[in-house]
């Protein structure tokens, strides 16, 4: 039980930090799972529009019981409402919008990220392959791709690697990684440590990251 | 002007063993519920089905799976279905997974006379294996080919006797592209109206893409009911 609470708290910490990536006026796609949680922490004075790749620009709150419309879902197939000013369209239009780089930001989950910003988040060889859904398109679409994930896997091993071991979702696509321990930017010359979460040191982050991290003078400690 | 069916079994009677069919919907939203039920009853076999998902175990395309009517599935996410997993592992079902935007665009291309196109989705991943990769403006793109079908089964909220269709909210999804990409498109509509009663400016799918229509009452099962509490 304690472990579950820890996990929930960790996810909330990541989601709250990821929320800070969303600027006023942004069009944003949130991936299924933990990224969807980011919507729960949007600051009240921030205006932004959430895109759902199944054909909705302007995801609203979850419905009240008497507002449920079975024809209105998000990409995770959950019932939603449409926000004021929303629009509906086909999946072809939706992905034209995505590939055409009209979205400002996409926040996705990750299994592994490499030093060069490769992302693996869709299949584990030997396990049932369920499909990539829209992730392979989205990683090439939004102007900024942020991956949120735990810093290490359940065995305590790094998920930020020299090279991904799992089959890729996209090559050189990630701009920023936000974990429960740190914020790391992917740049031309490699990975840069930008922020360290409360309770961790720069040394902790280096020790739990396989890929080489560049550590500048301006790393923000106890950032979130 | 269009064929208006009164029975679902009649509407799908030309779908034969080995047909390739596109079926509209995202999850269970916007699926032609009664046309799928009629296909199950018809017991046609060896179908190639093109649809984003493959239903759930007891509804939608999952019913066709359970009845072992599908030989090959082309989709983007098939994780909602235990029988699907069983058949894939047993080698009874062939699967071709596409990035969702690639799937949508392949279908759109099929209906729009575009044989192939280049997309960044899948470059550097197993999806690009064996496909042409070409550089435009310094960036890599993979070539994907159009998809067409013998039949498309789509669902609209409203259709008129000229085949014009209007979709509801996120039930539009893959339905408009599929309507254009098949030799024969059958639209299951919640409400069938006379031509002229839909404002031409409000038509989502022009009637030229639709060959037959049938009115059908939908159950609209909900996969993941998610509610908020009163504030």
């Amino acid at each position: 039980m304690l472990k579950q609470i820890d996990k929930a708290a960790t996810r909330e910490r990541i989601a709250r930090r990821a929320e800070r990536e969303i600027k006023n006026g942004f069009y944003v796609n949130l991936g299924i799972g933990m990224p969807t949680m980011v919507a729960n922490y949007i600051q009240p004075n921030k205006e932004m529009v959430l895109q759902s790749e199944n054909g909705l620009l302007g995801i609203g709150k979850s419905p009240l019981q008497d507002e449920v419309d079975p024809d209105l879902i998000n990409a995770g197939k959950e019932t939603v409402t449409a926000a004021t000013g929303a629009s509906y369209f086909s999946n072809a239009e939706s992905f034209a919008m995505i590939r055409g780089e009209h979205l400002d930001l996409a926040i996705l989950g990750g299994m592994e990220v490499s030093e060069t910003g490769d992302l693996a988040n869709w299949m584990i060889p030997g396990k049932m392959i369920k499909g990539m859904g829209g992730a392979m398109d989205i990683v090439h679409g939004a102007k900024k791709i942020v991956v949120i994930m735990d810093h290490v896997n359940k065995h305590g091993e790094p998920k930020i690697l020299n090279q991904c071991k799992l089959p890729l979702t996209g090559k050189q696509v990630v701009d920023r990684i936000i974990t429960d321990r740190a914020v790391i930017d992917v740049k031309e010359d490699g990975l840069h440590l930008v922020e360290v979460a409360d309770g961790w040191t720069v040394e902790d982050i280096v020790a739990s990251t396989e890929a080489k991290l560049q550590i500048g003078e301006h790393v923000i400690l106890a950032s979130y | 002007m269009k064929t208006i069916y009164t029975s679902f079994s009649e509407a799908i009677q030309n779908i034969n063993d080995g047909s390739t069919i596109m079926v509209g919907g995202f999850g269970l939203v916007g699926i032609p519920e009664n046309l799928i039920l009629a296909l199950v009853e018809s017991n046609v076999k060896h179908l190639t089905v093109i649809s984003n998902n493959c239903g759930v175990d007891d509804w939608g395309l999952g019913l066709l799976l359970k009845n072992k009517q599908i030989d090959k599935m082309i989709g983007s996410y098939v994780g909602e279905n235990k029988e699907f997993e069983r058949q894939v592992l047993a080698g009874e079902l062939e699967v071709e997974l596409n990035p969702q935007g690639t799937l949508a665009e392949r279908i759109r291309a099929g209906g729009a006379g575009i044989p192939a196109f280049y997309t960044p989705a899948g470059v550097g991943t197993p999806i690009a294996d064996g496909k042409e990769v070409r550089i435009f403006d310094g960036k890599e793109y993979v070539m994907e080919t159009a998809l067409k079908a013998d039949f498309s089964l789509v669902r609209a909220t409203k259709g008129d006797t000229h085949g014009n269709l209007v979709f509801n909210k996120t039930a539009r999804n893959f339905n408009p592209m599929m309507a254009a990409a098949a030799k024969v498109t059958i639209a299951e509509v919640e409400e069938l109206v006379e031509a002229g009663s839909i404002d031409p400016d409000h038509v989502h799918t022009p009637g030229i893409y639709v060959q037959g229509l049938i009115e059908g009452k939908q159950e609209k099962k909900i996969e993941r009911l998610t509610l908020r509490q009163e504030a």
Side-chain angles (χ1 to χ4, degrees):
Chain A
M1 191 64 195
L2 188 64
K3 210 168 182 183
Q4 272 176 7
I5 293 167
D6 284 354
K7 199 170 180 191
T10 303
R11 287 164 68 95
E12 182 177 332
R13 174 187 254 193
I14 297 172
R16 284 186 185 278
R17 175 58 192 83
E19 188 273 341
R20 283 155 55 182
E21 300 296 312
I22 301 173
K23 307 287 182 243
N24 208 31
F26 265 23
Y27 289 94
V28 181
N29 181 290
L30 300 176
I32 293 163
M34 184 160 61
T36 304
M37 280 175 58
V38 175
N40 300 338
Y41 305 107
I42 304 293
Q43 297 298 312
N45 55 356
K46 208 179 267 183
E47 272 198 70
M48 42 87 80
V49 180
L50 290 175
Q51 200 250 20
S52 191
E53 60 265 28
N54 57 318
L56 166 60
L57 191 61
I59 307 175
K61 293 175 178 168
S62 299
L64 295 169
Q65 183 73 56
D66 62 3
E67 292 173 337
V68 171
D69 184 331
D71 282 346
L72 183 46
I73 59 166
N74 63 16
K77 303 181 181 101
E78 298 166 331
T79 48
V80 291
T81 59
T84 304
S87 55
Y88 301 115
F89 35 84
S90 72
N91 277 65
E93 174 93 44
S94 177
F95 282 95
M97 193 181 287
I98 289 167
R99 285 186 306 258
E101 296 188 9
H102 301 281
L103 297 181
D104 297 291
L105 172 68
I107 301 177
L108 303 167
M111 295 175 186
E112 294 174 349
V113 177
S114 82
E115 190 167 39
T116 54
D118 296 351
L119 171 67
N121 74 352
W122 76 284
M123 75 173 274
I124 300 171
K127 288 204 175 171
M128 173 64 189
I129 300 164
K130 293 182 170 185
M132 68 295 284
M136 282 192 184
D137 311 271
I138 292 168
V139 292
H140 292 282
K143 293 180 187 119
K144 184 170 185 181
I145 302 293
V146 173
V147 167
I148 62 176
M149 62 183 190
D150 292 330
H151 204 91
V152 297
N153 66 21
K154 61 183 176 191
H155 307 295
E157 297 156 351
K159 294 174 61 154
I160 303 169
L161 306 171
N162 294 324
Q163 276 195 319
C164 293
K165 294 174 189 132
L166 296 168
L168 296 185
T169 306
K171 200 171 73 177
Q172 296 176 21
V173 291
V174 178
D175 296 298
R176 173 165 275 194
I177 309 160
I178 298 175
T179 74
D180 53 320
R181 301 183 188 181
V183 176
I184 293 167
D185 279 348
V186 184
K187 295 193 173 166
E188 295 261 313
D189 62 348
L191 300 179
H192 290 245
L193 181 62
V194 182
E195 296 174 31
V196 177
D198 195 18
W200 301 94
T201 64
V202 170
E203 291 70 31
D204 290 334
I205 306 305
V206 170
S208 56
T209 306
E210 182 191 277
K212 186 172 166 14
L213 290 176
Q214 308 202 30
I215 298 150
E217 290 167 23
H218 303 294
V219 176
I220 305 167
L221 298 173
S223 161
Y224 57 104
Chain B
M1 191 173 161
K2 300 291 174 177
T3 309
I4 308 297
Y5 295 100
T6 50
S7 105
F8 289 97
S9 56
E10 196 191 344
I12 54 112
Q13 66 189 352
N14 293 322
I15 301 180
N16 296 317
D17 288 0
S19 289
T20 295
I21 62 170
M22 291 183 178
V23 183
F26 183 97
L28 298 179
V29 172
I31 61 170
E33 298 181 3
N34 295 290
L35 288 171
I36 294 171
L37 290 170
L39 270 182
V40 174
E41 202 158 303
S42 77
N43 211 24
V44 288
K45 300 279 188 195
H46 308 301
L47 296 172
T48 293
V49 175
I50 301 168
S51 191
N52 189 54
N53 316 96
C54 201
V56 294
D57 279 321
D58 58 353
W59 194 239
L61 293 174
L63 298 172
L64 285 179
L65 262 185
K66 198 190 264 182
N67 206 25
K68 302 207 167 94
Q69 292 173 266
I70 305 178
D71 278 9
K72 182 175 179 183
M73 178 74 207
I74 302 176
S76 90
Y77 189 81
V78 291
E80 318 291 354
N81 195 317
K82 287 196 184 66
E83 176 62 14
F84 192 96
E85 180 169 355
R86 194 200 65 71
Q87 290 187 18
V88 171
L89 295 175
E92 297 167 17
L93 177 66
E94 189 188 340
V95 191
E96 183 188 321
L97 291 169
N98 286 213
Q100 197 182 122
T102 296
L103 181 66
E105 192 63 13
R106 291 182 73 191
I107 298 166
R108 196 196 73 80
I114 307 282
F117 58 93
Y118 293 90
T119 174
V123 168
T125 80
I127 295 307
D129 288 351
K131 293 175 187 166
E132 183 193 331
V133 172
R134 193 164 158 184
I135 295 170
F136 295 91
D137 292 330
K139 198 177 154 187
E140 287 181 311
Y141 295 82
V142 59
M143 190 180 83
E144 295 282 0
T145 54
L147 284 171
K148 293 184 191 189
D150 300 315
F151 295 87
S152 275
L153 306 180
V154 301
R155 216 257 333 267
T157 189
K158 200 184 269 191
D160 72 18
T161 49
H162 278 207
N164 296 305
L165 303 179
V166 178
F167 305 98
N168 185 45
K169 303 189 175 76
T170 55
R172 192 179 320 183
N173 54 62
F174 286 82
N175 283 299
M177 296 82 79
M178 288 181 172
K183 290 179 202 139
V184 176
T185 291
I186 311 292
E188 176 170 344
V189 298
E190 292 175 73
E191 188 190 358
L192 183 65
V193 297
E194 284 301 319
S197 40
I198 300 172
D199 182 337
D201 250 343
H202 294 169
V203 169
H204 294 141
T205 286
I208 191 168
Y209 301 125
V210 178
Q211 281 67 49
L213 298 98
I214 184 163
E215 201 173 60
K217 193 170 161 36
Q218 308 297 308
E219 283 193 35
K220 298 193 181 178
K221 293 191 180 179
I222 294 175
E223 238 170 300
R224 300 219 172 94
L225 181 66
T226 306
L227 299 172
R228 78 171 189 276
Q229 305 303 318
E230 291 281 1

